[in-house]
Amino acid sequence: MRARKLGQTDLWVSELGLGCASWWGRSTFDEVTAVRVVHEALDLGVTLFDTGSSYSAGEAEPRLGRALRGRDTAELVIATKAGTYHAGGGRIARDMSPAAVVASTERSLQQLDLECLGLLQLHGPSIPELEALTGTLMTLKARGLTRAVGLNSFDPAVIEHALGLAAIDTVMIDYNVLRPEREPLIGRAVAAGKGVLAGMPLAMANTLPLFARIRGRRDFWYLARAMAHHRRDLANGRRFLFLHEQPDMTGAQAALAYVLANGDVSAAIFGSTRIEHLRENLAATDLVMSDELMRRIRSAQGALSMP
């Protein structure tokens, strides 16, 4: 597994990271299997694990903490998020007040059984919230509660604003074959000294034929979420069916290889609940995308329907 430097921090991360959220963290998903996924990722060289205080109805952080128990975490970068929380009944609520962000960080450390986070990210802040919290983030670093701070946002205007804030070390951006328009923003982020994490690098499996995604109960959950919130991506994804017809790599590997071909990306973070799926995805670290495949991707991107 290759490692890449995370912006101008002193952190190096595996170029593929494991997202510990969604179905992986839910109580309906067997914890023994969830822990095995984390241990397999560790054994295959993953050093970046990304989660959030509000993920999986608030269960993702404690589950990741249990999965890491007894393992050497000294070289790991454990990233989590503050500013949102599980409000019950499947609802996620926001509280970006300085006091709430500090309390969330301290609670995350307890749940993850860590003395210091590798990365603390604000979870979808607005520009005014981001401005108001820069001092709080710097204080959390000064207290030794986190080594780096950043934000996770799929709003380009918020990311653009963050590039001018010295307190921000990293940005997480939705970047995949369906989001080529993010590439100039990623370039500007790196020019501003920010580390870039690619969220949703597999485009939430929207490049797969609709019902080819269904292999078990959890897949119905992901499909229902895509149909409710990502209909444009489902439609655009049909232009990339050829990714799943390559002779030397799977569709998921091709999607990850595309993201990793961008040298400005420090790491691509994907989720997995199956050991075989995890191994398949992590093998993308050894793959090089051909010029012809990149040409076909660029051609398909030229016909995308944009918001």
Side-chain angles (χ1 to χ4, degrees):
M1 175 65 65
R2 288 188 290 264
R4 302 187 184 190
K5 197 166 186 295
L6 187 57
Q8 294 184 347
T9 73
D10 62 355
L11 301 173
W12 287 77
V13 294
S14 54
E15 65 179 8
L16 290 169
L18 182 64
C20 298
S22 300
W23 193 265
W24 176 89
R26 288 177 171 262
S27 59
T28 47
F29 181 56
D30 175 52
E31 177 144 340
V32 172
T33 304
V35 170
R36 283 184 58 225
V37 168
V38 171
H39 289 181
E40 184 72 9
L42 288 166
D43 293 343
L44 292 174
V46 173
T47 62
L48 174 62
F49 294 82
D50 180 73
T51 188
S53 59
S54 63
Y55 288 171
S56 308
E59 294 299 321
E61 276 188 347
R63 174 167 281 186
L64 179 57
R66 292 189 294 272
L68 293 173
R69 193 168 296 155
R71 302 295 296 241
D72 183 3
T73 60
E75 300 301 319
L76 303 183
V77 175
I78 308 301
T80 193
K81 303 178 186 72
T84 59
Y85 62 94
H86 180 242
R91 296 178 298 110
I92 293 179
R94 294 167 52 84
D95 189 344
M96 292 278 176
S97 67
V101 168
V102 170
S104 178
T105 303
E106 293 172 342
R107 185 167 54 253
S108 292
L109 287 168
Q110 292 176 348
Q111 295 191 140
L112 292 164
D113 196 19
L114 297 172
E115 294 183 359
C116 179
L117 295 168
L119 173 63
L120 174 69
Q121 302 162 97
L122 297 178
H123 192 198
S126 66
I127 290 175
E129 289 168 338
L130 183 56
E131 284 280 356
L133 284 165
T134 54
T136 301
L137 295 177
M138 293 174 69
T139 298
L140 290 169
K141 283 179 70 175
R143 289 177 57 192
L145 300 187
T146 184
R147 295 177 65 185
V149 296
L151 69 148
N152 167 210
S153 176
F154 298 154
D155 183 342
V158 174
I159 296 293
E160 197 78 60
H161 188 81
L163 303 190
L165 299 177
I168 299 299
D169 298 310
T170 70
V171 293
M172 183 185 289
I173 302 173
D174 53 334
Y175 178 51
N176 51 59
V177 294
L178 303 183
R179 297 284 189 278
E181 71 276 14
R182 299 291 190 251
E183 289 169 6
L185 180 57
I186 290 171
R188 292 193 294 276
V190 170
K194 312 304 182 187
V196 176
L197 300 175
M200 302 201 308
L202 295 173
M204 300 181 71
N206 287 326
T207 63
L208 275 168
L210 195 58
F211 290 102
R213 311 164 53 139
I214 304 300
R215 290 179 291 177
R217 176 187 172 192
R218 72 201 76 171
D219 299 311
F220 283 103
W221 185 84
Y222 284 110
L223 179 58
R225 184 176 67 172
M227 294 185 73
H229 304 293
H230 302 281
R231 287 185 175 273
R232 178 179 282 106
D233 285 346
L234 279 172
N236 282 335
R238 291 198 291 268
R239 299 184 182 279
F240 295 88
L241 295 177
F242 62 86
L243 292 178
H244 305 274
E245 301 167 355
Q246 302 306 305
D248 54 351
M249 63 180 73
T250 66
Q253 289 171 341
L256 290 169
Y258 166 82
V259 173
L260 295 180
N262 187 331
D264 286 339
V265 172
S266 293
I269 298 171
F270 67 87
S272 182
T273 56
R274 296 183 176 92
I275 295 291
E276 63 274 17
H277 178 243
L278 175 74
R279 291 171 178 163
E280 171 193 334
N281 288 354
L282 294 181
T285 193
D286 295 321
L287 300 177
V288 177
M289 178 167 290
S290 69
D291 292 342
E292 173 58 21
L293 182 53
M294 182 61 81
R295 185 198 65 76
R296 292 190 67 183
I297 290 173
R298 292 302 190 198
S299 177
Q301 288 173 334
L304 289 177
S305 169
M306 296 298 178

